[in-house]
Amino acid sequence: MGTIIDGKRISDNLKEEMKAQVVALERQYGRRPGLAVIIVGENPASQVYVRNKVRAAEFVGLRSVQVTLPESTPEADLLAQIRRLNEDPAIDGVLVQLPLPAHINEEKVIDTIALEKDVDGFHPGNVGALWLGKPCTLPCTPKGCLHLIQTTGIELRGALAVVIGRSNIVGKPMAKLLLDQHATVIMAHSRTRNLGELTRQADIIVAAVGKRNLVTADMVKPGAVVIDVGMNRDDEGHLCGDVDFAGVKEVAGFVTPVPGGVGPMTITMLIQNTLDSFIKRESKKQ
Ligand code: GUN
């Protein structure tokens, strides 16, 4: 049986380190890093994510602000809230939880967040910098996945990685992060033919589609690292990923569980991005 990558424990350890770092930062700069999280509407999954983000922020000692807006909020009001937080010197990170209600233009919202406060790494300025190999804020989920992959000790140089899913939030940036580690990357997606033929050759599989049992044991090379970004519900309503965990853990060298794998790491990377943003902003003042 393969090793289960304990994302919860890894992220708990990182948060403990960050908690101590926040104490030191406050001593040095006279204020704590501040994170603002905006949620529009009552999407139950989004409410859980936002609650967990605010909880983590408070755990490490950040100044945390949650802005809860009704589903019917006009786009202009949301943009005004973002601009207000952009101007607030006590806030270092501004995050708008996605998805947004249909009447709000997501692109416009992301563009309105100040580049220096974009702790999600979704702003075109950060996305462009990532693809040009310039310093940038990395999106939290792929950043967390790379961290988990690196804990296995696998040699990424020359390894074959198959990333399944091509979203702007996970699949595309994940592929770029693996390329930067000198992996050979195949970007697969819902239209990919013979997915199993590709994944069976892979040293690393990252599944980020949102489809239960997409990756089964017969699709995994013995010893491979399998990272499950999926967040689905099974027939009994239990949280599950894109990977058939019970089967795949018998074949893979390493596999992340759902829950307790990638999810906690995403939140921890958000906190790390906020600390980095704080340090960058404070250093500019010197
Ligand atoms: N919705 C799903 N994942 C994310 C994320 O990482 N950030 C934001 N803002 N919304 C999301």
Side-chain angles (χ1 to χ4, degrees):
M1 196 178 99
T3 303
I4 293 164
I5 304 175
D6 190 345
K8 170 87 170 63
R9 186 182 55 78
I10 295 166
S11 65
D12 282 348
N13 290 341
L14 287 169
K15 279 189 290 186
E16 286 294 345
E17 287 171 22
M18 289 183 211
K19 197 173 181 173
Q21 199 187 347
V22 168
V23 173
L25 288 172
E26 186 175 18
R27 201 171 294 145
Q28 185 175 354
Y29 295 106
R31 72 174 184 96
R32 287 179 291 160
L35 173 65
V37 180
I38 305 176
I39 178 168
V40 186
E42 286 168 11
N43 179 318
S46 290
Q47 286 176 325
V48 173
Y49 293 143
V50 165
R51 195 184 319 134
N52 290 338
K53 287 172 185 180
V54 170
R55 249 186 223 157
E58 286 170 357
F59 175 82
V60 302
L62 300 193
R63 214 182 100 92
S64 150
V65 177
Q66 186 181 330
V67 180
T68 306
L69 300 171
E71 182 87 20
S72 60
T73 301
E75 183 183 273
D77 289 7
L78 173 60
L79 298 182
Q81 282 282 354
I82 295 169
R83 290 194 187 100
R84 185 178 62 77
L85 293 162
N86 284 346
E87 296 300 318
D88 186 340
I91 295 297
D92 303 283
V94 177
L95 176 152
V96 180
Q97 187 64 29
L98 305 177
L100 289 165
H103 67 277
I104 297 178
N105 182 333
E106 203 168 282
E107 203 177 311
K108 219 190 255 180
V109 167
I110 293 170
D111 287 359
T112 302
I113 297 170
L115 179 58
E116 58 162 19
K117 297 193 179 185
D118 171 37
V119 282
D120 256 331
F122 293 169
H123 190 285
N126 274 319
V127 177
L130 170 66
W131 285 92
L132 291 170
K134 293 180 173 178
C136 62
T137 299
L138 297 177
C140 305
T141 300
K143 184 178 180 173
C145 290
L146 181 63
H147 193 104
L148 293 179
I149 293 167
Q150 285 171 330
T151 64
T152 68
I154 189 178
E155 169 72 278
L156 282 167
R157 187 178 293 264
L160 180 67
V162 174
V163 176
I164 317 169
R166 52 178 159 177
S167 70
N168 290 333
I169 294 183
V170 186
K172 285 184 211 163
M174 186 74 247
K176 177 63 168 75
L177 292 185
L178 289 163
L179 265 182
D180 289 346
Q181 298 297 315
H182 312 289
T184 300
V185 182
I186 294 175
M187 294 182 77
H189 46 78
S190 53
R191 315 276 170 90
T192 298
R193 291 190 197 130
N194 303 323
L195 179 62
E197 266 175 39
L198 300 175
T199 57
R200 266 190 292 280
Q201 299 173 57
D203 303 298
I204 299 143
I205 300 171
V206 180
V209 171
K211 194 171 166 207
R212 231 178 102 195
N213 291 333
L214 175 74
V215 177
T216 47
D218 59 302
M219 296 166 70
V220 176
K221 180 167 82 170
V225 176
V226 181
I227 305 293
D228 192 351
V229 186
M231 281 280 195
N232 313 300
R233 298 269 167 192
D234 67 16
D235 295 335
E236 280 109 48
H238 298 127
L239 206 59
C240 66
D242 290 354
V243 174
D244 169 27
F245 181 76
V248 167
K249 77 174 193 308
E250 302 301 327
V251 183
F254 298 87
V255 61
T256 62
V258 176
V262 172
M265 284 301 283
T266 295
I267 292 174
T268 300
M269 295 301 108
L270 169 70
I271 305 300
Q272 196 170 72
N273 283 349
T274 307
L275 298 193
D276 290 347
S277 165
F278 169 90
I279 293 166
K280 221 180 287 168
R281 280 164 39 76
E282 283 297 327
S283 308
K284 265 193 202 153
K285 287 186 198 165
Q286 308 286 309

